[in-house]
Amino acid sequence: MSGDREIVTGRKKASAFVPGHVTAFFSVHRREDPLKTGSRGAGITLSKGVTVGVEPAGETRISLDGEGTEVRPVERVLDAMGVTARVRIDAELPIGAGFGVSGAAALGTALAANRAAECEYTENELIRTAHAGEVEAGTGLGDVVAQARGGVPIRLEPGAPEHGVLDGIAETAPVEYASFGDLSTSDVISGGTDRLSKAGEEALSALRERPTLPQMLALGREFARDADLLVPEVATTIEDVNEAGGEAAMAMLGRTVVALGSGLTDAGYDATACQIYPGCATLLEDAADR
Amino acid sequence: MSGDREIVTGRKKASAFVPGHVTAFFSVHRREDPLKTGSRGAGITLSKGVTVGVEPAGETRISLDGEGTEVRPVERVLDAMGVTARVRIDAELPIGAGFGVSGAAALGTALAANRAAECEYTENELIRTAHAGEVEAGTGLGDVVAQARGGVPIRLEPGAPEHGVLDGIAETAPVEYASFGDLSTSDVISGGTDRLSKAGEEALSALRERPTLPQMLALGREFARDADLLVPEVATTIEDVNEAGGEAAMAMLGRTVVALGSGLTDAGYDATACQIYPGCATLLEDAADR
């Protein structure tokens, strides 16, 4: 990109890592206040994620995997914080395929911009800003709060800190995923969601009865069917994993299958291996001195 | 230790890592319900911490750094979960010196026992169990919830999940500590705490005005003086770090000084270096297969 010389020097760079997040099932809860708007549901955060570098500059420019682009939730976060910056987003995960890359970009931007521009917001304030940016941009409802917690988050109540309530399944495991392309989150979550939300609420009740990883994936499979979100290649893959003795579910919302252990490889698929992410979204230590 | 042959075989081992936690200031809030009892305040979690391995067995036996011992909060956690087990606690930090080792042992036991004995509790339930065990044993009030969050936790409201409310300072940094011995937590928190709590509440208000790491340590220094908890070697060390241009505070409750960056080394002290822990208490991945 040209224009590097315009950057205001003498201010800090900072960067943050935010884990990917795959939702197994969810229900939609819209309120007037974006901080109270969100989803209930459950999912898995991944050791693969998104790294966001922020350097304050006279004018905001955003790159995603090296290409200049617009990322609405990121722009909303910067606007809310009163920061203009060069933002570099590097995603280890497919975009638009149900991995929460937009939420990760928003949260990573908030964390890194806060440090780089010395805004002195607290973690909860930054999560709130990123959640509101994502909700207002229409790109997601529950990824940001899940990514801020890490592990296997259960969204008990929708919304950002002060409103939302989280718990988690107390487990960790290796996981695999295979992705067959994108689905538009905003098309689904801006449309009629009554049927989807009913299925999501039922799945959440059942998970609270038995909060385990295999149960979450089984409920995710039921949810995808009941909410009529299954796409053919995903349905076939999930069946193949099940037949090979594994546990898998569709990532909401993407043409993506996530499986425990080596479930996809065992069923003969070309899959990417990672882990359930044991931590939470975080600033990167070395960034202070770059 | 003898008696290894009595262990019930065929059940899983599991282990968990819990970061150390150094409190800079706090106020005491006692209620009848241990889940509502706790402290407000702020502190730093450390990349050095406590690893707890749990293997279900016919009879509970606990070792701490290789020596058989009693650890009351750990026993309470196991009792509450209905688990008897061999528990192996390995602390990378000094014991009784303000690093939250007892809280870490309680939380690590809860996480690992849940996995090893397949109890299927959620994370919040396990944090509640560990918090209650620590409060009932009189060994701490706020370490468990802080260690479950990681980073630089601010305890806004006392108590375990469903009651307590946390935020965090959105920063990370290298830190150092030097320890000159122990102080009894139970002696301080079971005595008159009005003066201490008043100072702690004032510090928390001031931190919320300006939530930064240097501010937290400065408020910790004021708190230690106002609450009359400073011990001579700690006071001298903190002054020396300040004179060398660094930021340090006393660990509550221990004869321990914690400093940002290389503050203690710069002031000529023999210190241990670590990092602010970016994650939260977590199961260790490889433990499932040991």
Side-chain angles (χ1 to χ4, degrees):
Chain A
M1 289 186 352
S2 66
D4 279 12
R5 287 166 203 282
E6 293 163 30
I7 290 170
V8 176
T9 52
R11 300 178 80 171
K12 275 207 290 190
K13 287 185 191 180
S15 61
F17 173 80
V18 183
H21 178 244
V22 171
T23 287
F25 58 80
F26 67 107
S27 57
V28 174
H29 304 270
R30 298 206 165 279
R31 304 286 179 270
E32 279 213 13
D33 184 348
L35 296 173
K36 295 181 180 171
T37 297
S39 55
R40 288 198 181 101
I44 291 175
T45 65
L46 304 176
S47 56
K48 288 188 185 286
V50 174
T51 301
V52 183
V54 172
E55 183 174 20
E59 195 181 316
T60 290
R61 287 198 309 282
I62 301 170
S63 72
L64 174 58
D65 292 338
E67 307 233 337
T69 183
E70 293 184 1
V71 184
R72 285 172 299 152
V74 167
E75 288 156 25
R76 285 180 177 270
V77 165
L78 292 174
D79 286 351
M81 296 176 72
V83 173
T84 54
R86 185 175 169 194
V87 178
R88 179 187 162 145
I89 303 164
D90 292 296
E92 294 175 287
L93 294 161
I95 292 160
F99 291 100
V101 170
S102 63
L107 182 55
T109 299
L111 288 165
N114 183 63
R115 184 183 221 187
E118 298 180 351
C119 298
E120 301 184 358
Y121 290 113
T122 67
E123 286 178 346
N124 288 0
E125 288 166 346
L126 296 169
I127 299 165
R128 286 162 63 88
T129 301
H131 177 83
E134 169 104 315
V135 167
E136 287 167 350
T139 47
L141 290 167
D143 287 323
V144 168
V145 296
Q147 289 161 328
R149 182 181 179 106
V152 187
I154 307 173
R155 279 120 57 211
L156 297 176
E157 296 296 340
E162 288 184 35
H163 305 295
V165 177
L166 294 168
D167 198 347
I169 294 176
E171 257 304 345
T172 187
V175 292
E176 286 186 342
Y177 62 82
S179 194
F180 310 101
D182 61 348
L183 269 182
S184 168
T185 297
S186 47
D187 285 358
V188 172
I189 68 177
S190 64
T193 54
D194 288 355
R195 182 174 169 184
L196 177 161
S197 287
K198 184 169 173 290
E201 293 284 354
E202 286 168 3
L204 181 58
S205 295
L207 185 68
R208 296 184 75 172
E209 293 290 310
R210 183 144 195 240
T212 70
L213 283 171
Q215 170 83 336
M216 188 179 80
L217 293 183
L219 292 167
R221 293 194 293 271
E222 277 179 44
F223 170 81
R225 272 197 305 272
D226 294 350
D228 207 13
L229 290 166
L230 264 184
V231 291
E233 64 270 59
V234 165
T236 305
T237 307
I238 290 174
E239 272 172 39
D240 290 345
V241 173
N242 279 175
E243 276 171 24
E247 292 284 353
M250 176 177 167
M252 299 294 154
L253 291 154
R255 294 176 198 276
T256 295
V257 175
V258 63
L260 295 183
S262 55
L264 280 156
T265 303
D266 295 348
Y269 286 85
D270 188 13
T272 305
C274 59
Q275 304 282 332
I276 292 178
Y277 187 61
C280 38
T282 181
L283 289 166
L284 295 175
E285 175 55 39
D286 57 357
D289 309 313
R290 287 194 314 187
Chain B
M1 291 191 342
S2 65
D4 280 14
R5 288 165 203 283
E6 293 163 30
I7 288 169
V8 177
T9 52
R11 301 178 79 170
K12 276 206 289 191
K13 286 184 192 180
S15 61
F17 173 80
V18 182
H21 177 243
V22 171
T23 287
F25 58 80
F26 69 108
S27 56
V28 174
H29 303 270
R30 296 207 166 278
R31 305 284 180 270
E32 279 212 14
D33 184 347
L35 296 172
K36 294 180 181 171
T37 297
S39 55
R40 288 199 180 101
I44 291 175
T45 65
L46 304 176
S47 57
K48 288 188 185 287
V50 174
T51 301
V52 183
V54 172
E55 182 176 18
E59 194 181 318
T60 290
R61 288 198 309 281
I62 302 170
S63 72
L64 175 58
D65 293 339
E67 307 234 336
T69 183
E70 293 183 2
V71 185
R72 284 172 299 152
V74 167
E75 287 155 26
R76 285 180 176 269
V77 164
L78 292 175
D79 286 349
M81 296 175 71
V83 173
T84 53
R86 186 175 168 190
V87 178
R88 181 188 161 142
I89 304 164
D90 291 298
E92 294 176 288
L93 295 161
I95 293 160
F99 292 99
V101 171
S102 63
L107 181 56
T109 299
L111 289 165
N114 183 62
R115 184 183 220 186
E118 298 178 353
C119 300
E120 302 184 359
Y121 290 113
T122 67
E123 286 178 346
N124 288 1
E125 288 166 346
L126 296 169
I127 299 166
R128 286 161 62 87
T129 300
H131 177 82
E134 167 105 314
V135 167
E136 287 167 349
T139 47
L141 289 167
D143 287 323
V144 168
V145 296
Q147 289 162 327
R149 181 181 180 106
V152 188
I154 307 173
R155 280 120 57 209
L156 297 177
E157 297 296 340
E162 288 184 36
H163 305 294
V165 177
L166 294 168
D167 197 348
I169 294 177
E171 256 305 346
T172 188
V175 291
E176 285 185 344
Y177 63 81
S179 196
F180 310 102
D182 61 348
L183 269 182
S184 168
T185 297
S186 48
D187 285 357
V188 173
I189 68 179
S190 64
T193 53
D194 288 355
R195 182 175 169 184
L196 178 161
S197 288
K198 183 168 175 292
E201 293 283 354
E202 285 168 4
L204 182 59
S205 296
L207 185 68
R208 296 185 75 172
E209 293 290 310
R210 183 142 198 242
T212 70
L213 283 172
Q215 172 83 336
M216 188 181 78
L217 293 184
L219 292 167
R221 293 193 292 272
E222 276 180 46
F223 170 81
R225 272 196 307 272
D226 294 350
D228 207 13
L229 290 166
L230 264 183
V231 291
E233 64 268 60
V234 165
T236 306
T237 307
I238 290 174
E239 270 172 41
D240 290 345
V241 172
N242 281 175
E243 274 170 26
E247 291 283 352
M250 177 178 168
M252 298 297 157
L253 293 154
R255 293 177 197 274
T256 295
V257 175
V258 62
L260 295 183
S262 54
L264 280 157
T265 303
D266 295 349
Y269 286 86
D270 189 12
T272 304
C274 60
Q275 303 283 332
I276 291 178
Y277 186 63
C280 36
T282 181
L283 288 166
L284 295 175
E285 174 57 39
D286 57 356
D289 309 314
R290 287 196 313 185

